Amino acid sequence: MASPVISHADENVLYLLQSNPLNGPTGNTISVDQTAGTNTLVAGDAAGSAPARQVGDGNSGTVVIDGDNIAVLFSQTGAGGVNSPGSNNTGTVNATGNDLTGALSQAGIGNSATLSVLGTRALGSVSQIGNGNQADVSVEGTDIQGELIQNGNNNIADLTIDGSSSNVSYEIIGNNLTTVDAGPSVTTNAGTVIIRQTVIGSN
């Protein structure tokens, strides 16, 4: 098991663990750019007590931060827990603004996710459990929260959220589900929106 690496610069913190218990030939790669940020954090939780992590083989990540007081929580592993190996997952997080949180978690094999968070006091989250899922999430606004959860295999979803003082949640449960066209686009102010998509006959 690899040891975590902690890096500090300009009040920015990177706490990262990468390991390859599969002993695969590719390894894991990640690119983190905090140079345009101040008081930013890339880790596994908001307290910075757990590392961002990639466990397995062929996982790749990109994190770009521009602004103040931004936290990016990042995890790509296997479906058996934070120390179980996953493979060929790809995750990208872009966060621009102030007082933001972006959280990307993928557990499985061959998942791909892109998360963009822009604005002030905004939170964006994407979570995928399974294999072969794809997600593209954009959250933009002030005092806004948005999340996409996919639990299953070979699902494809896009979610765009724009507004203020709102909370939007989109959950997909099942296999081989695909959003129509560009997927849901939610513009809301001072509201809560919950979308749940499942296969007919499931809970």
Side-chain angles (χ1 to χ4, degrees):
M1 180 67 70
S3 298
V5 174
I6 304 176
S7 175
H8 298 262
D10 298 327
E11 301 180 4
N12 300 314
V13 177
L14 168 62
Y15 186 16
L16 172 66
L17 168 66
Q18 294 194 120
S19 66
N20 186 1
L22 299 174
N23 295 318
T26 305
N28 302 297
T29 61
I30 190 166
S31 171
V32 177
D33 186 351
Q34 296 167 274
T35 57
T38 302
N39 193 30
T40 70
L41 171 70
V42 178
D45 60 21
S49 59
R53 66 182 67 218
Q54 295 193 115
V55 181
D57 187 56
N59 301 300
S60 63
T62 302
V63 177
V64 180
I65 294 174
D66 185 350
D68 300 329
N69 302 315
I70 297 173
V72 171
L73 317 180
F74 193 93
S75 176
Q76 297 193 129
T77 66
V82 296
N83 293 316
S84 67
S87 60
N88 300 315
N89 297 299
T90 302
T92 300
V93 180
N94 294 289
T96 302
N98 299 299
D99 304 310
L100 306 178
T101 300
L104 185 149
S105 175
Q106 300 192 105
I109 298 171
N111 299 297
S112 176
T114 299
L115 172 65
S116 298
V117 185
L118 298 90
T120 303
R121 296 183 302 279
L123 184 154
S125 172
V126 56
S127 174
Q128 300 194 123
I129 302 172
N131 303 322
N133 298 299
Q134 300 177 44
D136 192 336
V137 178
S138 175
V139 178
E140 181 173 1
T142 302
D143 296 313
I144 190 167
Q145 298 184 33
E147 68 172 358
L148 170 65
I149 301 169
Q150 295 202 107
N151 194 334
N153 302 315
N154 303 312
N155 299 306
I156 301 173
D158 295 346
L159 176 63
T160 301
I161 303 166
D162 186 3
S164 63
S165 303
S166 302
N167 190 338
V168 179
S169 176
Y170 182 24
E171 182 178 15
I172 295 173
I173 301 174
N175 301 319
N176 305 305
L177 300 172
T178 303
T179 55
V180 177
D181 298 326
S185 179
V186 181
T187 301
T188 180
N189 294 296
T192 297
V193 177
I194 299 174
I195 305 168
R196 192 168 189 263
Q197 181 180 355
T198 64
V199 176
I200 295 174
S202 66
N203 293 325

